[in-house]
Amino acid sequence: MHREGLPFVGVSLAVALAGRRNPWLRRAGLASAAANAAFFRHPPRKPPTRPGLVVAPADGLICLVDEEIPPSELGLAATPLPRISIFLSLLDAHVQRAPIGGEVIAVAHRPGSFVSADLAAASADNERNSIVIRSSDGAEVVAVQIAGLLARRIVCEVEPGDTIGIGDTYGLIRYGSRLDTYLPAGSKLLVEVGQRALAGETVLAELP
């Protein structure tokens, strides 16, 4: 389980303990502890070892494959790039993993609204946190954590200058969200809308 979930599970267990003489309260506390433990689960994953691959940064449903300009707060060129969006339901694991290995060269947070993360407008309007990772070959991939209808906290545990391996956990979004991955022009996309993705294992694309 991701450490962000420890306070939620702990409070739920405390409620169950305090209400141990009350069957309803005890069951409610235990059910809440189980639900939070499931939401904050942090399953092990085995990333591919072949170089030049981009893996899914999140578990969920691929809901969009298109081209779009990366978030403006990153200061990148206003040129549309291939984008793959993954929608995370409440039942998906909500930890985020690095789509490629390399150096984190930018991190930018932008406040916003909290419309449903499965809507196209979520990428532009919702609160988000973006990172740019540069591989040893100079390829840059952008991963954007986007809050959803119920999400109220985005956790990002990396800073510019950090080195991260492909598939390493770098953050989490609480309660329903979306991950957008922007790829270098010329990347070969290997997934399509409607496909399920596993963070750190599902290959989204090959770098040019």
Side-chain angles (χ1 to χ4, degrees):
M1 185 176 66
H2 193 279
R3 60 180 174 272
E4 282 284 317
L6 294 176
F8 295 88
V9 174
V11 168
S12 298
L13 291 176
V15 169
L17 180 62
R20 60 188 180 278
R21 300 183 187 277
N22 182 319
W24 183 90
L25 193 58
R26 185 177 67 250
R27 292 192 199 102
L30 292 174
S32 176
N36 278 290
F39 179 84
F40 287 101
R41 65 190 183 277
H42 190 186
R45 297 287 163 78
K46 187 175 181 180
T49 57
R50 183 160 65 90
L53 298 181
V54 181
V55 298
D59 288 13
L61 182 72
I62 294 173
C63 61
L64 187 67
V65 178
D66 65 357
E67 290 195 354
E68 186 55 79
I69 296 172
S72 58
E73 59 269 22
L74 289 172
L76 302 176
T79 302
L81 296 174
R83 176 180 65 172
I84 298 173
S85 297
I86 299 174
F87 173 70
L88 294 78
S89 75
L90 287 175
L91 300 179
D92 290 309
H94 272 60
V95 293
Q96 277 82 63
R97 300 174 185 266
I100 63 170
E103 180 185 0
V104 178
I105 62 170
V107 178
H109 176 266
R110 195 209 69 170
S113 57
F114 298 95
V115 302
S116 179
D118 61 345
L119 300 177
S123 292
D125 299 338
N126 282 19
E127 179 172 345
R128 66 193 182 210
N129 189 84
S130 307
I131 68 171
V132 183
I133 303 174
R134 179 183 292 155
S135 73
S136 58
D137 295 328
E140 294 183 0
V141 172
V142 179
V144 185
Q145 300 167 286
I146 302 171
L149 185 63
L150 299 177
R152 289 296 183 271
R153 177 169 168 76
I154 297 175
V155 177
C156 180
E157 300 172 332
V158 294
E159 300 177 350
D162 288 349
T163 299
I164 193 168
I166 184 171
D168 286 354
T169 300
Y170 78 89
L172 175 141
I173 313 175
R174 286 212 298 249
Y175 305 122
S177 47
R178 175 171 170 165
L179 258 290
D180 286 355
T181 305
Y182 294 82
L183 305 162
S187 296
K188 181 181 179 181
L189 306 188
L190 300 175
V191 293
E192 57 187 23
V193 172
Q195 181 176 336
R196 295 284 305 177
L198 285 179
E201 291 188 354
T202 300
V203 177
L204 298 183
E206 293 180 356
L207 296 171

